[in-house]
């Protein structure tokens, strides 16, 4: 039952994030629901002694869903999610011994910045390959990343930090865990 609810939450988040959620943006940025959900999942589940397959399947599935619904080269979101979860897992194991209000805010902010940095690097890496094979082209020569993108990333990090508290504690209530604040 938990697996089905996780898949439904991921699917609803992906559909919302790729369809109507961007139209609710403020100053060109909107919170990344999937990133917030995955960050909550990493904080709650990665501290347990589970096989990697049980820890990683929602993250890989979320990346695949987002790759399918986006117009970017396939695998960009999956690789970005995997990269940022390893950073967050390292931060939790080596720097934060307990997750509280401020550590959650810091993790959310840093994870959003790192995720978007990885996304930009991967897009810049994959787009020339896609243009070479003719699947993506911009008539004016510009790409998907410009200076406005960096302002949007910073605002997205702020929005994610605000929303992570609500979603994290919602995930904690659904999948009750005693070891976290």
């Amino acid at each position: 039952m938990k697996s089905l609810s996780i898949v439904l939450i991921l699917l609803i988040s992906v559909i919302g994030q790729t369809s109507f959620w961007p139209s609710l943006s403020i100053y060109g940025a909107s919170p990344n629901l999937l990133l917030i959900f995955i960050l909550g999942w990493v904080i709650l589940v990665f501290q347990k002694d589970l096989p990697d397959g049980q820890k990683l399947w929602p993250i890989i599935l979320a990346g695949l869903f987002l790759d399918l619904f986006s117009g970017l080269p396939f695998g960009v979101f999956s690789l970005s999610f995997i990269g940022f979860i390893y950073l967050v897992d390292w931060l939790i194991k080596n720097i934060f011994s307990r997750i509280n209000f401020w550590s959650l805010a810091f993790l959310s902010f840093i994870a959003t910045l790192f995720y978007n940095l990885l996304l930009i690097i991967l897009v810049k890496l994959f787009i020339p390959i896609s243009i070479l094979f003719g699947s993506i082209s911009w008539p004016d020569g510009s790409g998907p990343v410009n200076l406005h993108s960096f302002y949007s990333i910073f605002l997205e990090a702020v929005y994610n930090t605000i929303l992570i508290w609500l979603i994290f504690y919602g995930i904690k209530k659904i999948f009750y865990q005693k070891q976290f604040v």
Side-chain angles (χ1 to χ4, degrees), residues 3-57:
S3 297
L4 181 62
S5 62
I6 291 169
V7 170
L8 286 174
I9 289 170
L10 287 175
L11 195 56
I12 290 169
S13 297
V14 168
I15 290 171
Q17 187 167 328
T18 57
S19 60
F20 66 87
W21 195 256
S23 65
L24 302 174
S25 67
I26 302 170
Y27 297 113
S30 60
N32 190 333
L33 292 176
L34 221 46
L35 186 121
I36 293 170
F37 174 77
I38 290 173
L39 181 62
W41 178 264
V42 169
I43 290 170
L44 290 173
V45 174
F46 270 50
Q47 308 315 309
K48 292 182 172 184
D49 289 329
L50 296 172
D52 283 342
Q54 288 182 346
K55 293 178 188 178
L56 290 175
W57 74 265

Side-chain angles (χ1 to χ4, degrees), residues 142-178:
S142 67
V145 180
N146 55 28
L147 185 59
H148 179 71
S149 299
F150 293 106
Y151 297 125
S152 296
I153 290 169
F154 180 76
L155 286 174
E156 180 182 323
V158 171
Y159 296 151
N160 285 350
T161 302
I162 292 168
L163 283 180
I164 187 66
W165 295 310
L166 300 172
I167 294 176
F168 176 75
Y169 290 111
I171 290 173
K172 194 173 114 177
K173 275 289 197 197
I174 292 171
F175 307 104
Y176 183 70
Q177 311 239 342
K178 293 181 181 177

Side-chain angles (χ1 to χ4, degrees), residues 124-135:
K124 287 290 193 179
L125 180 70
F126 286 136
I127 291 296
I129 295 169
S130 299
I131 290 173
L132 179 67
F133 290 111
S135 60

